[in-house]
Short mmCIF file of all heavy atoms in Angstrom, two decimals:
data_model
loop_
_atom_site.label_atom_id
_atom_site.label_comp_id
_atom_site.label_asym_id
_atom_site.label_seq_id
_atom_site.Cartn_x
_atom_site.Cartn_y
_atom_site.Cartn_z
N GLY A 727 73.36 43.35 41.21
CA GLY A 727 73.27 44.15 42.43
C GLY A 727 74.50 45.02 42.66
O GLY A 727 75.60 44.66 42.24
N ASN A 728 74.28 46.15 43.31
CA ASN A 728 75.38 47.07 43.61
C ASN A 728 75.64 47.14 45.11
O ASN A 728 74.69 47.23 45.89
CB ASN A 728 75.05 48.50 43.17
CG ASN A 728 74.67 48.56 41.72
OD1 ASN A 728 75.08 47.72 40.93
ND2 ASN A 728 73.86 49.55 41.36
N PHE A 729 76.91 47.15 45.45
CA PHE A 729 77.34 47.44 46.82
C PHE A 729 78.40 48.54 46.76
O PHE A 729 79.06 48.70 45.72
CB PHE A 729 77.94 46.19 47.48
CG PHE A 729 76.90 45.14 47.79
CD1 PHE A 729 76.58 44.16 46.85
CD2 PHE A 729 76.23 45.14 49.01
CE1 PHE A 729 75.61 43.20 47.13
CE2 PHE A 729 75.27 44.18 49.29
CZ PHE A 729 74.95 43.21 48.35
N LEU A 730 78.55 49.23 47.86
CA LEU A 730 79.51 50.34 47.87
C LEU A 730 80.88 49.90 48.38
O LEU A 730 80.97 48.97 49.20
CB LEU A 730 78.99 51.45 48.78
CG LEU A 730 77.78 52.22 48.27
CD1 LEU A 730 77.25 53.13 49.36
CD2 LEU A 730 78.13 53.04 47.04
N ILE A 731 81.91 50.56 47.90
CA ILE A 731 83.22 50.44 48.51
C ILE A 731 83.77 51.87 48.69
O ILE A 731 83.37 52.78 47.97
CB ILE A 731 84.22 49.57 47.71
CG1 ILE A 731 84.31 50.02 46.24
CG2 ILE A 731 83.89 48.11 47.79
CD1 ILE A 731 85.44 49.33 45.48
N GLY A 732 84.66 52.02 49.63
CA GLY A 732 85.22 53.36 49.87
C GLY A 732 85.95 53.35 51.19
O GLY A 732 85.66 52.54 52.07
N LYS A 733 86.89 54.26 51.31
CA LYS A 733 87.73 54.31 52.51
C LYS A 733 86.93 54.65 53.77
O LYS A 733 87.36 54.36 54.87
CB LYS A 733 88.80 55.39 52.31
CG LYS A 733 89.79 55.03 51.24
CD LYS A 733 91.17 55.04 51.79
CE LYS A 733 92.04 54.20 50.88
NZ LYS A 733 93.29 53.86 51.42
N THR A 734 85.79 55.31 53.58
CA THR A 734 85.04 55.74 54.76
C THR A 734 84.14 54.64 55.33
O THR A 734 83.48 54.85 56.34
CB THR A 734 84.16 56.96 54.39
OG1 THR A 734 83.51 56.65 53.15
CG2 THR A 734 84.97 58.22 54.23
N LEU A 735 84.11 53.49 54.67
CA LEU A 735 83.22 52.42 55.14
C LEU A 735 83.93 51.50 56.14
O LEU A 735 85.15 51.30 56.05
CB LEU A 735 82.68 51.63 53.95
CG LEU A 735 81.87 52.48 52.96
CD1 LEU A 735 81.42 51.66 51.77
CD2 LEU A 735 80.64 53.11 53.65
N SER A 736 83.16 50.94 57.06
CA SER A 736 83.74 50.22 58.20
C SER A 736 84.18 48.80 57.83
O SER A 736 83.71 48.22 56.85
CB SER A 736 82.70 50.12 59.31
OG SER A 736 81.66 49.27 58.85
N PRO A 737 85.06 48.19 58.65
CA PRO A 737 85.45 46.79 58.42
C PRO A 737 84.23 45.86 58.44
O PRO A 737 84.19 44.86 57.73
CB PRO A 737 86.38 46.48 59.60
CG PRO A 737 86.86 47.80 60.10
CD PRO A 737 85.79 48.80 59.77
N GLU A 738 83.21 46.21 59.27
CA GLU A 738 82.00 45.36 59.35
C GLU A 738 81.28 45.32 57.99
O GLU A 738 80.71 44.31 57.60
CB GLU A 738 81.02 45.89 60.41
CG GLU A 738 81.48 45.70 61.85
CD GLU A 738 82.58 46.69 62.26
OE1 GLU A 738 82.67 47.77 61.64
OE2 GLU A 738 83.35 46.37 63.19
N HIS A 739 81.31 46.45 57.30
CA HIS A 739 80.67 46.49 55.96
C HIS A 739 81.34 45.47 55.05
O HIS A 739 80.68 44.67 54.39
CB HIS A 739 80.79 47.90 55.38
CG HIS A 739 80.52 47.98 53.90
ND1 HIS A 739 79.26 47.84 53.37
CD2 HIS A 739 81.36 48.16 52.83
CE1 HIS A 739 79.33 47.93 52.04
NE2 HIS A 739 80.59 48.12 51.70
N TYR A 740 82.69 45.50 55.04
CA TYR A 740 83.42 44.60 54.13
C TYR A 740 83.27 43.14 54.55
O TYR A 740 83.10 42.25 53.72
CB TYR A 740 84.90 45.01 54.07
CG TYR A 740 85.06 46.33 53.36
CD1 TYR A 740 85.35 47.50 54.04
CD2 TYR A 740 84.85 46.40 51.99
CE1 TYR A 740 85.45 48.71 53.37
CE2 TYR A 740 84.95 47.61 51.30
CZ TYR A 740 85.25 48.76 52.01
OH TYR A 740 85.34 49.94 51.34
N GLN A 741 83.31 42.92 55.87
CA GLN A 741 83.21 41.54 56.35
C GLN A 741 81.84 40.94 55.98
O GLN A 741 81.75 39.82 55.47
CB GLN A 741 83.40 41.54 57.85
CG GLN A 741 83.79 40.16 58.39
CD GLN A 741 83.81 40.18 59.90
OE1 GLN A 741 84.11 41.21 60.51
NE2 GLN A 741 83.47 39.06 60.50
N SER A 742 80.77 41.70 56.21
CA SER A 742 79.44 41.16 55.92
C SER A 742 79.26 40.97 54.41
O SER A 742 78.62 40.01 53.96
CB SER A 742 78.35 42.09 56.48
OG SER A 742 78.53 43.39 56.00
N LEU A 743 79.86 41.85 53.62
CA LEU A 743 79.74 41.74 52.16
C LEU A 743 80.45 40.48 51.67
O LEU A 743 79.91 39.70 50.88
CB LEU A 743 80.33 43.01 51.51
CG LEU A 743 80.41 43.03 50.00
CD1 LEU A 743 79.03 42.84 49.37
CD2 LEU A 743 81.01 44.36 49.51
N VAL A 744 81.68 40.26 52.18
CA VAL A 744 82.44 39.09 51.75
C VAL A 744 81.70 37.81 52.15
O VAL A 744 81.58 36.87 51.36
CB VAL A 744 83.88 39.12 52.33
CG1 VAL A 744 84.55 37.77 52.21
CG2 VAL A 744 84.71 40.18 51.62
N GLU A 745 81.15 37.80 53.36
CA GLU A 745 80.42 36.60 53.80
C GLU A 745 79.23 36.32 52.89
O GLU A 745 78.96 35.19 52.50
CB GLU A 745 79.93 36.80 55.24
CG GLU A 745 81.06 36.55 56.24
CD GLU A 745 80.72 37.03 57.65
OE1 GLU A 745 79.53 37.31 57.94
OE2 GLU A 745 81.64 37.12 58.46
N LEU A 746 78.54 37.39 52.51
CA LEU A 746 77.37 37.22 51.62
C LEU A 746 77.80 36.65 50.27
O LEU A 746 77.18 35.71 49.75
CB LEU A 746 76.69 38.59 51.42
CG LEU A 746 75.47 38.57 50.52
CD1 LEU A 746 74.25 38.05 51.28
CD2 LEU A 746 75.16 39.98 49.99
N LEU A 747 78.86 37.22 49.71
CA LEU A 747 79.28 36.82 48.36
C LEU A 747 79.96 35.45 48.36
O LEU A 747 79.92 34.73 47.37
CB LEU A 747 80.19 37.88 47.74
CG LEU A 747 79.56 39.27 47.58
CD1 LEU A 747 80.54 40.24 46.94
CD2 LEU A 747 78.28 39.22 46.77
N GLU A 748 80.57 35.10 49.48
CA GLU A 748 81.21 33.78 49.59
C GLU A 748 80.15 32.68 49.66
O GLU A 748 80.31 31.60 49.12
CB GLU A 748 82.00 33.72 50.90
CG GLU A 748 83.47 33.92 50.76
CD GLU A 748 84.13 33.82 52.13
OE1 GLU A 748 83.45 33.91 53.17
OE2 GLU A 748 85.34 33.64 52.14
N ASP A 749 79.05 33.02 50.34
CA ASP A 749 78.00 32.02 50.55
C ASP A 749 77.05 31.89 49.37
O ASP A 749 76.38 30.88 49.21
CB ASP A 749 77.16 32.38 51.80
CG ASP A 749 77.97 32.17 53.06
OD1 ASP A 749 79.05 31.56 52.95
OD2 ASP A 749 77.54 32.63 54.13
N ALA A 750 76.96 32.97 48.57
CA ALA A 750 75.99 32.95 47.46
C ALA A 750 76.40 31.89 46.45
O ALA A 750 77.55 31.88 46.01
CB ALA A 750 75.95 34.32 46.80
N SER A 751 75.48 31.01 46.10
CA SER A 751 75.85 29.94 45.18
C SER A 751 76.21 30.54 43.81
O SER A 751 75.65 31.54 43.38
CB SER A 751 74.70 28.96 45.03
OG SER A 751 73.57 29.69 44.63
N ALA A 752 77.17 29.88 43.15
CA ALA A 752 77.65 30.39 41.87
C ALA A 752 76.61 30.12 40.78
O ALA A 752 76.15 28.99 40.64
CB ALA A 752 78.95 29.71 41.51
N PRO A 753 76.23 31.12 40.02
CA PRO A 753 75.25 30.88 38.97
C PRO A 753 75.90 30.10 37.82
O PRO A 753 77.01 30.41 37.42
CB PRO A 753 74.87 32.30 38.52
CG PRO A 753 76.02 33.16 38.92
CD PRO A 753 76.73 32.49 40.04
N SER A 754 75.20 29.09 37.31
CA SER A 754 75.82 28.26 36.27
C SER A 754 75.94 29.04 34.96
O SER A 754 76.81 28.78 34.15
CB SER A 754 74.98 27.00 36.04
OG SER A 754 73.67 27.40 35.72
N ASP A 755 75.06 30.04 34.77
CA ASP A 755 75.06 30.77 33.50
C ASP A 755 75.76 32.12 33.60
O ASP A 755 75.65 32.95 32.70
CB ASP A 755 73.61 30.99 33.05
CG ASP A 755 72.75 31.48 34.20
OD1 ASP A 755 73.32 31.86 35.24
OD2 ASP A 755 71.52 31.50 34.05
N GLY A 756 76.45 32.37 34.70
CA GLY A 756 77.17 33.64 34.85
C GLY A 756 76.28 34.83 35.11
O GLY A 756 76.74 35.97 35.09
N LYS A 757 74.98 34.60 35.32
CA LYS A 757 74.07 35.73 35.55
C LYS A 757 74.21 36.25 36.98
O LYS A 757 74.67 35.57 37.86
CB LYS A 757 72.62 35.30 35.33
CG LYS A 757 72.26 35.14 33.87
CD LYS A 757 70.76 35.21 33.64
CE LYS A 757 69.99 34.17 34.38
NZ LYS A 757 68.55 34.26 34.22
N GLY A 758 73.72 37.47 37.18
CA GLY A 758 73.66 38.02 38.53
C GLY A 758 74.96 38.64 38.99
O GLY A 758 75.42 38.40 40.11
N ALA A 759 75.55 39.46 38.12
CA ALA A 759 76.82 40.09 38.49
C ALA A 759 76.64 41.02 39.69
O ALA A 759 75.55 41.56 39.92
CB ALA A 759 77.35 40.90 37.31
N ILE A 760 77.72 41.16 40.43
CA ILE A 760 77.76 42.11 41.55
C ILE A 760 78.68 43.25 41.14
O ILE A 760 79.79 43.02 40.65
CB ILE A 760 78.32 41.41 42.82
CG1 ILE A 760 77.39 40.27 43.25
CG2 ILE A 760 78.52 42.41 43.96
CD1 ILE A 760 75.96 40.69 43.56
N TYR A 761 78.21 44.46 41.34
CA TYR A 761 79.01 45.64 41.01
C TYR A 761 79.38 46.36 42.30
O TYR A 761 78.51 46.59 43.16
CB TYR A 761 78.22 46.60 40.11
CG TYR A 761 77.99 46.02 38.73
CD1 TYR A 761 76.80 45.35 38.43
CD2 TYR A 761 78.97 46.11 37.76
CE1 TYR A 761 76.60 44.80 37.17
CE2 TYR A 761 78.78 45.56 36.50
CZ TYR A 761 77.59 44.91 36.21
OH TYR A 761 77.40 44.36 34.97
N LEU A 762 80.66 46.68 42.42
CA LEU A 762 81.12 47.43 43.58
C LEU A 762 81.38 48.86 43.13
O LEU A 762 82.15 49.10 42.19
CB LEU A 762 82.39 46.81 44.15
CG LEU A 762 82.25 45.32 44.55
CD1 LEU A 762 83.52 44.83 45.22
CD2 LEU A 762 81.06 45.10 45.49
N SER A 763 80.68 49.76 43.77
CA SER A 763 80.70 51.14 43.31
C SER A 763 81.49 52.00 44.29
O SER A 763 81.10 52.14 45.45
CB SER A 763 79.25 51.62 43.21
OG SER A 763 79.20 52.95 42.83
#
Side-chain angles (χ1 to χ4, degrees):
N728 305 333
F729 289 90
L730 289 171
I731 52 171
K733 293 237 159 194
T734 46
L735 300 177
S736 67
E738 289 75 24
H739 164 72
Y740 291 106
Q741 200 187 329
S742 55
L743 175 58
V744 165
E745 280 168 13
L746 180 78
L747 300 180
E748 259 181 343
D749 289 349
S751 55
S754 56
D755 46 12
K757 285 201 301 178
I760 297 301
Y761 292 95
L762 303 185
S763 178

